[in-house]
Amino acid sequence: MMKIKKRVIWFLIIILSIPTLAFCQDDLQEKTKNLEDSIRLMLYKERPYFEVVNYGANRIQMKDSSSLDYFFEKLYALQTQKKEEKKQVKILHMGDSHIQADFFTGKVRRLFQEDKRFGDAGRGFTFPYSAAKTNNPFDYKTRYTGSWTSQKMVSNKDQSQWGISGINVETTNPKSTITLEPIEYNERKPSKIEKVRIYYPILNEELFEAVIIAPTNEIKSQKMHLDGYLEVIFSVPQTSISIGLDKTDDIQTHFILQGVSLETNDGGILYHAVGINGAETRHYLRCEDFETQLRSVQPDLVVISLGTNDAYPSRFDDTAFKGNLIKIIEQVRNINPNTSILLTSPNDTYRYKKYANYNTQKAEERLQELMREKSVALWNFYQIMGGFKSIIDWHKVGLGQYDKIHLSQTGYNLQGDLFYEAINEQYQKWIDKNRPK
């Protein structure tokens, strides 16, 4: 690896030392891009190289260089804390089907938590997607008894009291149960469970009460919080969580589960990912308990990965798209005006597998405007992919799926690598500027 670094550096010196080289402008730009890619790859260690990726664009864009200061302050405090302090940094990453599957976010979570500077504070927010008859992330299993029905914010016919996940499961049977069991995935063992939060509308008197099914001597404490969750702390780490129901009054007729957070008591990164297939920006505005649950999560960084579904129809209202994002940003800042916000642009797509989608570029342009107008950061994945029609090239090299909307698992892993590296590079710049040695 050192030999490769030296060759890249010497090549750069040679190019810059010969001003008389008669490159045409286009040729010079191409060679400059290749150099940027090579240097970036050198900095990013030994990652797989794909020619379809614009590595030179892999950076965090900000009009105001302080847009991520709050998050980086928390990250640095975690990095430099004493062992007994056990500080946690909390990230909430919200989105659509690209997030529900958790390939992308799962890779980012792993990179953060396996980084020795930070540590593992737990799996974070989960949902029993299998009970809702939809795809479940691969790093935990969902089992259930009784009959459960799903209510989704993306369905106009559904009406429910949604939280940050935008999806609920409901039952009318007090004997129904749900079990969540983290499992080993991609050679990574699951995080231990020392604390659990069960999110449901606890102030609704018509709901059964949630209970944890576990030996009494393994439960250290239980507390109902007005922010809409039951918190249980264990005296013995658990390998799975089973939720039961308790009917204590005749007025109680059903139960609504909004999500479950699996956490440790250790210091580290707690990376929550919430997403639902088909989600658009407008759908999150239907979530009555969105701000309430944001307050309970207290994220230091909120990542918003939306736009694929907004921009999919031929008649894309990019003004409404931008307006909806402004409302979501305002909701986040209503809870904590200091919370860092990072937007990510959607990947290039085709409509119905055969029509190149010009709307994605419009969505990317609106995100650029928000970055400049709202003091938020932007990770422009659309540019990193290569822009318009780039999904074709990604599919050819095995990084995109046949539907020309989603990435392959390899593609999502690469996306996670790139995203983490862009954040880490910006974090290192922040340290050099604000915490010089």
Side-chain angles (χ1 to χ4, degrees):
M1 188 64 185
M2 287 303 298
K3 290 182 179 179
I4 295 174
K5 290 181 180 179
K6 288 179 180 178
R7 288 174 184 170
V8 171
I9 293 170
W10 275 111
F11 183 53
L12 177 60
I13 292 171
I14 291 168
I15 292 297
L16 296 177
S17 303
I18 308 177
T20 58
L21 288 176
F23 295 127
C24 70
Q25 186 175 1
D26 291 342
D27 199 17
L28 180 58
Q29 288 177 347
E30 179 65 23
K31 292 180 184 299
T32 301
K33 176 187 177 299
N34 291 340
L35 280 171
E36 288 178 350
D37 288 357
S38 298
I39 294 168
R40 235 165 241 282
L41 284 170
M42 179 182 71
L43 294 173
Y44 295 163
K45 301 178 182 179
E46 296 179 358
R47 301 292 191 199
Y49 177 79
F50 294 93
E51 291 186 358
V52 298
V53 178
N54 179 8
Y55 290 94
N58 188 33
R59 59 185 178 273
I60 303 299
Q61 300 177 19
M62 295 183 287
K63 179 185 178 184
D64 182 350
S65 60
S66 65
S67 296
L68 295 180
D69 277 9
Y70 183 78
F71 172 58
F72 288 157
E73 288 276 5
K74 297 285 186 176
L75 209 56
Y76 188 77
L78 173 63
Q79 179 181 341
T80 58
Q81 72 175 344
K82 296 178 181 178
K83 189 174 182 180
E84 62 272 13
E85 289 186 86
K86 296 186 177 182
K87 294 177 181 177
Q88 294 185 346
V89 173
K90 299 170 184 177
I91 301 170
L92 174 65
H93 194 148
M94 52 188 288
D96 45 34
S97 56
H98 301 292
I99 306 303
Q100 177 174 328
D102 200 52
F103 293 131
F104 168 33
T105 44
K107 185 58 180 289
V108 182
R109 182 186 301 111
R110 178 173 187 166
L111 290 169
F112 264 115
Q113 294 181 341
E114 291 186 347
D115 193 317
K116 294 180 180 178
R117 295 172 296 174
F118 308 131
D120 181 357
R123 172 57 174 78
F125 204 93
T126 61
F127 188 83
Y129 290 103
S130 297
K133 308 298 188 296
T134 186
N135 57 296
N136 204 82
F138 286 97
D139 65 337
Y140 65 90
K141 292 181 178 179
T142 297
R143 298 189 297 274
Y144 59 93
T145 64
S147 177
W148 295 86
T149 58
S150 67
Q151 301 290 326
K152 303 174 183 178
M153 66 177 182
V154 299
S155 173
N156 291 330
K157 66 180 179 62
D158 287 351
Q159 297 293 329
S160 192
Q161 188 172 341
W162 293 292
I164 57 176
S165 67
I167 181 171
N168 296 338
V169 285
E170 304 182 13
T171 184
T172 57
N173 183 355
K175 294 183 179 180
S176 298
T177 66
I178 281 182
T179 298
L180 298 170
E181 181 187 0
I183 59 174
E184 183 173 333
Y185 177 66
N186 274 350
E187 299 182 350
R188 189 191 182 198
K189 294 182 179 180
S191 305
K192 59 185 177 181
I193 305 171
E194 296 178 313
K195 180 169 65 176
V196 62
R197 289 182 173 186
I198 304 170
Y199 285 90
Y200 69 102
I202 62 172
L203 297 180
N204 187 339
E205 296 178 351
E206 296 182 354
L207 298 187
F208 309 138
E209 296 178 7
V211 296
I212 285 291
I213 303 172
T216 305
N217 63 345
E218 294 184 3
I219 297 176
K220 184 177 180 180
S221 65
Q222 300 187 69
K223 183 179 179 180
M224 301 290 291
H225 291 259
L226 294 180
D227 282 346
Y229 63 93
L230 167 66
E231 182 176 73
V232 180
I233 299 176
F234 299 99
S235 56
V236 178
Q238 304 292 298
T239 57
S240 64
I241 294 297
S242 292
I243 301 168
L245 304 173
D246 188 14
K247 182 174 181 177
T248 60
D249 195 296
D250 289 340
I251 196 175
Q252 297 172 341
T253 58
H254 62 295
F255 179 75
I256 301 172
L257 180 64
Q258 298 170 317
V260 181
S261 183
L262 307 178
E263 306 176 15
T264 76
N265 294 321
D266 296 332
I269 299 291
L270 192 58
Y271 200 106
H272 302 287
V274 293
I276 179 171
N277 300 339
E280 301 175 25
T281 51
R282 64 186 176 90
H283 293 135
Y284 277 97
L285 301 179
R286 299 183 68 193
C287 298
E288 179 181 343
D289 288 342
F290 185 84
E291 286 192 41
T292 302
Q293 291 184 3
L294 267 181
R295 187 181 300 111
S296 74
V297 172
Q298 296 182 325
D300 302 301
L301 171 68
V302 173
V303 183
I304 304 173
S305 295
L306 290 167
T308 295
N309 298 298
D310 296 78
Y312 191 77
S314 57
R315 295 183 178 180
F316 168 44
D317 190 341
D318 56 321
T319 301
F321 169 68
K322 180 180 176 181
N324 291 338
L325 281 171
I326 290 173
K327 291 176 183 177
I328 294 172
I329 290 169
E330 289 172 347
Q331 286 184 312
V332 173
R333 289 178 171 163
N334 284 342
I335 301 305
N336 183 351
N338 297 316
T339 299
S340 296
I341 299 175
L342 174 55
L343 308 178
T344 76
S345 64
N347 58 263
D348 180 58
T349 62
Y350 268 55
R351 298 176 58 250
Y352 307 109
K353 304 178 187 176
K354 58 182 179 178
Y355 302 112
N357 191 354
Y358 293 89
N359 292 335
T360 309
Q361 186 171 356
K362 291 182 182 178
E364 183 254 352
E365 290 169 356
R366 299 295 83 76
L367 292 172
Q368 290 273 8
E369 292 172 0
L370 287 171
M371 180 266 293
R372 293 189 294 268
E373 297 167 6
K374 294 297 179 181
S375 296
V376 298
L378 172 65
W379 185 64
N380 200 327
F381 186 56
Y382 183 73
Q383 288 184 355
I384 296 165
M385 280 190 71
F388 188 58
K389 295 186 178 182
S390 57
I391 190 65
I392 296 295
D393 295 328
W394 277 55
H395 176 249
K396 286 179 180 177
V397 297
L399 297 175
Q401 291 190 30
Y402 178 70
D403 64 6
K404 298 176 185 174
I405 296 174
H406 298 92
L407 305 183
S408 65
Q409 187 170 345
T410 302
Y412 283 122
N413 283 335
L414 174 61
Q415 185 184 25
D417 280 332
L418 293 167
F419 185 56
Y420 183 73
E421 288 158 355
I423 292 176
N424 187 50
E425 181 178 331
Q426 192 65 40
Y427 176 53
Q428 291 301 323
K429 290 179 181 178
W430 182 88
I431 290 176
D432 293 341
K433 178 182 177 182
N434 297 280
R435 298 292 187 275
K437 293 182 180 180

